[in-house]
Amino acid sequence: MTSSSLDLQALVNQFQDQGYLVLRNVLTPEKVERLNAAIDGIIAQEPEALAYNIYNSVERHEEIASLIDEPTLLPLMVQLLGPNLQLHISHLTIRKPNPQDEKTASQSFINWHQDGPHPQFPKINGVTSTYYIKTCYILSDMSEPDRGNTKIIPGSHNRPFQPVSQNVDDMLQEEVQICGNPGDVFIFPQNLWHAGAPNRSGFTRRQLFLGYSPIWMRPIDYRTASEKLLKDASPIRKQLLGVIDDNPFKYYVPDESMIPLKQQFRGDSGKSEYAQ
């Protein structure tokens, strides 16, 4: 295991142009093993299914909650969205092999879409702004396509785009399947067109999404963070859990002292360290 420098400005430029990043070996094999053990325990409490979509997954196990303020990615999130951040969503997806493309209540595959509310975020000249960004931790062997991989249209976040077909089975001209190994991280904004492909392989897809948004937005996971999540939380984690002040106006105009992420990354040189 060696330490390698991330050029944050180069990554920001790539993200703004292409709408996604893939970072390799962000999590150690030991961390991946602990996360998968935690997920095994979560799934054991669920009814047997071909696919699982478990929201507010940080509430389900402390190993997952530990990723809320994952230090390898926080500097990049601050560069992409600014320091006034919160956790917006935590979403565990599992897709078992499904060669017959059986449709399930828990959505074993998902057609082309942009994330967001219904009615959707407003568009200006056909383009939706970036409101939140997802970090996707790859926790199973997805090094090859057609294992239930996430499919994307690079650059579709910053130009008018409409898929010629919503059906994920129809290969679009520009589409890319995101491939990766356990411990890799895929990052993309909610306005990038993407899809969850069927899994016709012999491998189970495991991906864990943690999304971040400005703190003035309402999170998807909860109205307010639970006492369980807030217990012994650091100032930065409290901020990421949406706890900065009793006055709701401060979510729009926070005092600098309420945003410890701003204090921590003030004067950031554009370099960050992560394990590789």
Side-chain angles (χ1 to χ4, degrees), residues 3 8 62 201 224-225 252 256 263 274:
S3 181
L8 294 182
E62 58 271 15
S201 74
T224 55
Y252 289 85
E256 191 162 308
Q263 299 171 56
Y274 82 108

Side-chain angles (χ1 to χ4, degrees), residues 124-137:
I124 299 177
N125 296 324
V127 178
T128 304
S129 295
T130 295
Y131 287 89
Y132 59 93
I133 295 173
K134 286 182 174 179
T135 59
C136 171
Y137 295 88

Side-chain angles (χ1 to χ4, degrees), residues 177-222:
Q177 287 199 38
I178 301 298
C179 297
N181 293 304
D184 293 346
V185 175
F186 161 49
I187 301 172
F188 66 105
Q190 104 288 332
N191 53 343
L192 186 75
W193 280 90
H194 59 285
N199 183 2
R200 303 187 182 106
S201 74
F203 293 79
T204 294
R205 158 188 156 151
R206 283 190 173 193
Q207 293 191 153
L208 177 61
F209 297 84
L210 271 71
Y212 298 86
S213 68
I215 206 166
W216 47 261
M217 285 184 66
R218 297 195 68 172
I220 291 175
D221 276 352
Y222 43 70

Side-chain angles (χ1 to χ4, degrees), residues 22-70:
V22 181
L23 304 181
R24 305 297 182 186
N25 304 314
V26 172
L27 300 182
T28 65
E30 294 78 15
K31 179 64 173 177
V32 171
E33 183 177 0
R34 293 196 301 271
L35 283 165
N36 274 317
I39 291 168
D40 288 342
I42 292 170
I43 296 305
Q45 301 171 32
E46 300 290 324
E48 181 66 26
L50 280 172
Y52 300 88
N53 289 303
I54 299 175
Y55 291 90
N56 198 13
S57 53
V58 293
E59 191 76 45
R60 301 294 291 270
H61 200 282
E62 58 271 15
E63 281 293 344
I64 297 176
S66 73
L67 297 175
I68 293 171
D69 47 9
E70 168 57 45

Side-chain angles (χ1 to χ4, degrees), residues 120-176:
Q120 295 180 335
F121 290 122
K123 294 180 183 289
I124 299 177
N125 296 324
V127 178
T128 304
S129 295
T130 295
Y131 287 89
Y132 59 93
I133 295 173
K134 286 182 174 179
T135 59
C136 171
Y137 295 88
I138 297 173
L139 300 177
S140 61
D141 186 348
M142 300 187 67
S143 57
E144 301 290 337
D146 302 321
R147 295 181 178 179
N149 307 56
T150 301
K151 302 169 83 172
I152 64 165
I153 304 296
S156 60
H157 66 306
N158 59 14
R159 58 184 169 90
F161 179 82
Q162 184 67 39
V164 295
S165 171
Q166 297 292 131
N167 189 340
V168 73
D169 277 333
D170 296 334
M171 181 172 289
L172 304 186
Q173 184 175 1
E174 301 175 76
E175 77 171 45
V176 171

Side-chain angles (χ1 to χ4, degrees), residues 96-112:
K96 295 180 182 178
N98 185 10
Q100 303 303 317
D101 290 350
E102 180 181 341
K103 291 188 177 181
T104 67
S106 49
Q107 295 180 299
S108 52
F109 51 91
I110 300 175
N111 288 333
W112 289 100

